[in-house]
Structure formats: C-alpha cells, structure tokens
Amino acid sequence: MVLAIDVGNTRIKASVFEGGNVLENFIFEKNELEKKIKEILKKFQNCSDLIVASVGNVEKKSFLAFEKDLNIHFFTHEDVFPFINRYATPKTLGIDRMILASGATLQFPKQNRLVIDAGTCITYDFIDENDNYLGGAISPGLRLRYEALHNFTARLPLLTLEAPESYIGDSTAQAIHSGVVNGFVYEIDGFIDEYRANFSNFIIILTGGDAEFLAKRLKNTIFANSNFLLESLNQTFQYKIDND
C-alpha cells in the first residue's frame, strides 16, 4: 500500500492506494499532519511507502518522523517524469504542476492534454500529443478573488463562494458573486477555446478543490476529477519504480 500526500497552499490532501485503486481519501489542516498520518497508518497497517508532492510550507521533518515505518519519497525536479519539460524556466515549475502533467501523460497517451487545477490558484498545464510539456498559465483562484475585492477596497464585503442568481447582479453581494464566479468560468472557457482552436485530438482535465462546482458551469466538455493530483502522484511513483 502507498500513502500519497499532496501539500497544497491551503490544506493537505491524502489518499491510500493499493496498486491503482484508491482505498480512502483524506483532507486535513497542516497543523494536523503528524496526527493524521499516525491515524491513517493505524488504520492501514500494510502501508509501505509514503510519497509527497509539496508546494506548501510544511517542513520535511514532519514526514521524516515516520521514516522508521515507511519508505519516504519527496518528488523533486530531479525525478523521472514521462514527459519532456520544454518550460523556459524548468526549475521554477511547481512540483504539483509536474505531477499533474505526468498523470495526464500516463493516463491519456497520444493526445493533446490541458490540465486545469482550480484551487487556491488556478493553473493551466499543456502537454502535447508528443509528450512535450509546453507551459500554461497561472491566475488567482475563486477564494483569492473574493479576498482581493475585500482586502484592496474600502467597502466591499468579504463573501464566501456562492453561485450567482444571475449574470446581472442586483445587489453588491450578487454583483460580487457574478463577477467572481462568472468571470472565472469565462476565463476557463476562453482558455479552452483558444487551445481547441490551435490543437486537435484534445482532452481537458479539470481538477482541484473547486472542480465539482465549476464542472457544471463550463460550456466545454471536460473530464472532471477532483482527486486527479493524488492519482497522478501514485501513477508517477509507479512510473518511477519502473524506470529508475
């Protein structure tokens, strides 16, 4: 069994895998990390490997506390990946984006793939049908957009995510929801339209914490999987074992 952990900017997500099958998923706060790992290992005593992809501010020693019980692997840019990294600044490419690109490459071979990860930030990652990672885009996620409107204005309230009643907001709250949510959806659909205009044989993968909320609002046909990063982490680990 493998325990895969994704340390994001906001929270930590984890999954226990047996082969390619997910046995259970977990979401918890960063200050709960060691406690939650202990609970998971108590429940799944056959776990032999702990694999980590981290963009968040969590020290390695929190994981290394378990090195007597598990083989621990932190994914870095030095690992083996199934794509060619054509990014102009490859060392600055987030490890989470590399894992997503890896999962897309392994799961959808010989296709042009656009991975959209809607979390704290929204990232777009494009891997062509010849397995070249070409880059993408980064912009603020839904929560950051709500916070920016509140933090950088004098009077706008801080709202939480809510589906707008109409594209015409008839109150300040509804105008904010319309601007944030509809603007976000129009951005994603616009990027997808641009890629589709330039590439055929194309698949779009939508993932991240806001994936389910967004999936039914997008006009474009997509493959939505909120757990795609952890599944990709497990697939990339198996790829590494086979190709080291």
Side-chain angles (χ1 to χ4, degrees), residues 14-238:
S15 293
V16 175
F17 292 91
E18 187 164 30
N21 299 316
V22 181
L23 301 183
E24 192 167 347
N25 297 318
F26 307 88
I27 300 176
F28 46 90
E29 301 301 319
K30 293 179 182 178
N31 60 7
E32 300 178 291
L33 176 62
E34 291 190 39
K35 174 188 171 185
K36 290 295 184 181
I37 292 179
K38 287 179 183 177
E39 291 176 358
I40 293 169
L41 294 181
K42 185 176 180 180
K43 184 172 183 179
F44 297 96
Q45 297 184 12
N46 290 329
C47 275
S48 57
D49 295 277
L50 171 62
I51 54 177
V52 182
S54 177
V55 296
N57 187 22
V58 172
E59 293 187 11
K60 282 189 176 182
K61 66 180 182 182
S62 297
F63 296 101
L64 294 176
F66 300 94
E67 63 182 343
K68 290 182 179 179
D69 306 309
L70 298 164
N71 300 312
I72 301 175
H73 183 77
F74 299 93
F75 272 92
T76 72
H77 295 85
E78 307 306 318
D79 279 301
V80 178
F81 291 91
F83 58 85
I84 301 168
N85 192 343
R86 304 290 190 191
Y87 210 47
T89 55
K91 296 297 185 183
T92 70
L93 182 60
I95 200 67
D96 55 336
R97 297 176 68 189
M98 295 185 72
I99 294 294
L100 289 170
S102 177
T105 303
L106 293 169
Q107 192 166 337
F108 302 100
K110 296 182 172 57
Q111 297 182 68
N112 291 305
R113 314 101 165 164
L114 177 63
V115 186
I116 303 171
D117 185 8
T120 303
C121 293
I122 183 166
T123 58
Y124 303 81
D125 294 291
F126 181 70
I127 312 95
D128 72 14
E129 60 189 355
N130 296 314
D131 298 339
N132 295 295
Y133 176 89
L134 300 182
I138 305 172
S139 69
L142 286 168
R143 182 176 64 85
L144 287 181
R145 296 180 192 217
Y146 279 111
E147 290 181 354
L149 288 174
H150 173 68
N151 292 335
F152 295 100
T153 63
R155 296 183 180 275
L156 292 180
L158 177 59
L159 303 180
T160 55
L161 178 60
E162 180 181 307
E165 296 174 3
S166 169
Y167 70 94
I168 302 174
D170 61 1
S171 67
T172 298
Q174 282 301 311
I176 291 173
H177 289 310
S178 178
V180 170
V181 175
N182 289 323
F184 201 57
V185 170
Y186 298 154
E187 174 192 311
I188 296 172
D189 272 327
F191 269 114
I192 292 173
D193 287 344
E194 187 72 20
Y195 278 97
R196 275 211 166 119
N198 290 280
F199 298 95
S200 59
N201 187 25
F202 195 69
I203 185 166
I204 305 113
I205 303 136
L206 177 65
T207 190
D210 293 319
E212 292 183 11
F213 178 84
L214 292 167
K216 58 188 176 185
R217 292 174 170 81
L218 296 171
K219 71 177 183 180
N220 284 283
T221 302
I222 57 172
F223 172 76
N225 180 357
S226 59
N227 208 46
F228 188 72
L229 194 148
L230 285 167
E231 292 177 10
S232 297
L233 184 55
N234 182 55
Q235 289 175 321
T236 305
F237 179 63
Q238 301 304 322

